[in-house]
């Protein structure tokens, strides 16, 4: 994998160089001192992964991520210091298409552990996107409602998800009668901060899903650990380490599949922006069960990967622009 480094601090660049040197398969393609240089470097020589700092002169990492994903999209990993102090910037960058976030490894004490965490994130991204090459229509009518019972909206998102989720949740009215469960690819370190941020954008309460609780009408629950979120036979939510084969945790497919197996009421599955294909097969199985399934359209996606995979296999009964998804949910469950 060829990797671009974007950071204005020489010590941070050196720490990243040393960490990457631990993995012979990784090659540094170039180093940029700010976001503007990174945009130019990607246009000139697109790497497999960009390690993007957030706080830089000339152009910060949020704007650089936006411009790169708009013009020369590639996998972007946010690597920066003081993550807890910059959660809003982190979510903004992820809203533009950054895949994940990790602390910058420091030189000296603790370097080995931090370097291992960085390398693990890069490896996960490599598994997700695969080898890089220089790189809607409406399906059949949705099935009829499943009858009386509880209602649930299950939403999966990855790269670009935080901003898309915020926009969707802003459109759900107070008193929305269905439970909502979100599965976003985000490290558990940032899940609580993301829930708080989404709560500030929503008319409905948003919090992390707790082990052993059932989905609740009018409440939005966010998967909050690095384990998968499942619905159990008794209707309660649980976290599980299995299956271990999934690259991203929590997995959207795992949650969708658990709904197919155990949810007894009405449900709608929604797959938003993201790289890779997590959620596509699970959405197809939800459609096969008779649930309404929705995929975000290409024009409104920050990264048209997961919804594209869903559309390609006929998993979505409807393919909608982001701004039309919440009104459709209200229409279906109004």
């Amino acid at each position: 994998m060829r990797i671009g480094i974007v950071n204005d601090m020489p010590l941070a660049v050196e720490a990243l160089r040393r960490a990457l040197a631990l993995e012979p398969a990784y090659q540094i393609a170039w180093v940029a001192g700010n976001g503007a240089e990174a945009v130019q470097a990607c246009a000139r020589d697109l790497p497999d992964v960009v390690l993007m700092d957030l706080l830089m002169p000339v152009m910060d990492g949020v704007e650089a991520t936006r411009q790169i994903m708009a013009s020369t999209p590639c996998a972007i990993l946010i690597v920066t210091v003081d993550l807890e102090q910059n959660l809003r910037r982190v979510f903004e960058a992820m809203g533009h298409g950054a895949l994940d976030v990790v602390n910058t490894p420091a030189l000296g004490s603790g370097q080995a552990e931090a370097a291992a965490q960085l390398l693990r994130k890069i490896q996960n991204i490599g598994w997700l996107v695969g080898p890089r090459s220089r790189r809607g229509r409406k399906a059949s009518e949705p099935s009829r409602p499943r009858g009386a019972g509880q209602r649930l909206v299950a939403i999966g998102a990855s790269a670009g998800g935080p901003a898309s989720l915020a926009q969707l949740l802003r459109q759900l009215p107070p008193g929305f009668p269905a439970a909502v469960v979100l599965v976003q690819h985000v490290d558990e370190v940032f899940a609580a901060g993301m829930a708080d941020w989404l709560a500030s954008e929503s008319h409905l309460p948003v919090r992390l899903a707790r082990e052993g609780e059932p989905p609740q009408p009018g409440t939005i629950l966010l998967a909050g650990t690095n384990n998968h979120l499942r619905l159990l036979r008794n209707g309660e939510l649980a976290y599980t380490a299995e299956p271990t084969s999934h690259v991203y945790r929590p997995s959207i497919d795992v949650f969708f599949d658990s709904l197919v197996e155990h949810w007894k009421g009405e449900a709608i599955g929604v797959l938003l922006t993201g790289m890779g294909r997590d959620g596509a097969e699970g959405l197809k199985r939800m459609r096969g069960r008779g649930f309404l399934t929705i995929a975000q359209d290409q024009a409104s996606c920050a990264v048209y990967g997961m919804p594209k995979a869903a559309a390609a296999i006929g998993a979505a009964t409807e393919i909608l622009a982001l701004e039309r998804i919440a009104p459709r949910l209200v229409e279906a469950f109004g």
Side-chain angles (χ1 to χ4, degrees):
M1 295 180 69
R2 301 179 65 254
I3 298 173
I5 296 175
V6 190
N7 200 300
D8 65 315
M9 301 298 292
L11 288 179
V13 172
E14 179 59 24
L16 291 171
R17 286 184 183 277
R18 294 188 185 185
L20 294 175
L22 298 173
E23 175 49 68
Y26 297 161
Q27 172 190 351
I28 297 175
W30 42 258
V31 176
N34 58 62
E37 291 181 10
V39 173
Q40 295 172 0
C42 283
R44 181 177 64 250
D45 179 16
L46 191 64
D48 295 295
V49 180
V50 172
L51 307 184
M52 179 73 72
D53 190 17
L54 282 177
L55 306 176
M56 295 176 290
V58 184
M59 181 187 294
D60 67 10
V62 175
E63 176 61 17
T65 297
R66 186 191 71 79
Q67 293 195 22
I68 290 170
M69 295 307 295
S71 57
T72 55
C74 66
I76 296 178
L77 174 63
I78 300 299
V79 184
T80 193
V81 296
D82 295 328
L83 288 176
E84 289 75 11
Q85 303 300 317
N86 292 287
L87 283 180
R88 182 168 292 275
R89 288 176 181 264
V90 169
F91 298 141
E92 287 176 357
M94 293 181 73
H96 292 310
L99 288 174
D100 207 342
V101 59
V102 68
N103 278 299
T104 305
L107 297 174
S109 177
Q111 181 182 6
E113 181 179 349
Q117 186 179 21
L118 171 69
L119 296 177
R120 184 169 61 253
K121 297 275 189 177
I122 296 173
Q123 183 183 51
N124 286 347
I125 288 174
W127 285 337
L128 176 68
V129 304
R132 178 177 58 81
S133 56
R134 300 257 172 202
R135 6 184 203 272
R137 62 182 178 82
K138 186 173 181 178
S140 60
E141 292 299 314
S143 60
R144 297 179 62 82
R146 299 178 60 83
Q150 296 184 354
R151 296 167 165 181
L152 173 67
V153 178
I155 304 175
S158 184
S164 296
L165 288 170
Q167 181 176 338
L168 190 158
L169 297 184
R170 278 195 295 267
Q171 294 179 272
L172 293 180
F176 183 66
V180 181
V181 178
L182 312 177
V183 181
Q184 161 75 44
H185 293 160
V186 64
D187 193 289
E188 65 180 349
V189 174
F190 310 105
M194 183 174 174
D196 291 342
W197 177 67
L198 290 175
S200 71
E201 301 289 327
S202 173
H203 300 292
L204 300 169
V206 183
R207 59 175 174 79
L208 297 184
R210 300 173 185 139
E211 181 86 20
E213 72 171 326
Q216 303 172 27
T219 300
I220 300 169
L221 301 178
L222 173 68
T225 78
N226 289 337
N227 285 330
H228 307 301
L229 185 68
R230 284 183 181 272
L231 183 79
L232 302 180
R233 186 181 300 275
N234 64 3
E236 296 178 352
L237 296 170
Y239 291 100
T240 173
E242 299 293 335
T244 59
S245 57
H246 287 264
V247 174
Y248 268 87
R249 313 174 68 83
S251 164
I252 301 164
D253 272 329
V254 169
F255 185 66
F256 283 179
D257 285 345
S258 73
L259 296 183
V260 172
E261 187 174 2
H262 297 307
W263 184 252
K264 295 178 174 60
E266 299 177 59
I268 300 175
V270 180
L271 194 58
L272 300 180
T273 175
M275 191 172 290
R277 53 181 302 113
D278 187 26
E281 294 290 346
L283 197 72
K284 185 175 183 178
R285 286 185 279 272
M286 287 189 70
R287 182 178 183 180
R289 170 87 188 275
F291 296 133
L292 172 62
T293 55
I294 299 171
Q296 187 177 349
D297 73 351
Q298 181 174 1
S300 63
C301 277
V303 180
Y304 190 54
M306 300 189 318
K308 180 180 180 180
I313 62 174
T317 49
E318 298 183 15
I319 298 174
L320 301 176
L322 178 62
E323 63 270 17
R324 293 181 56 203
I325 294 177
R328 182 68 180 96
L329 299 178
V330 173
E331 176 188 6
F333 282 164

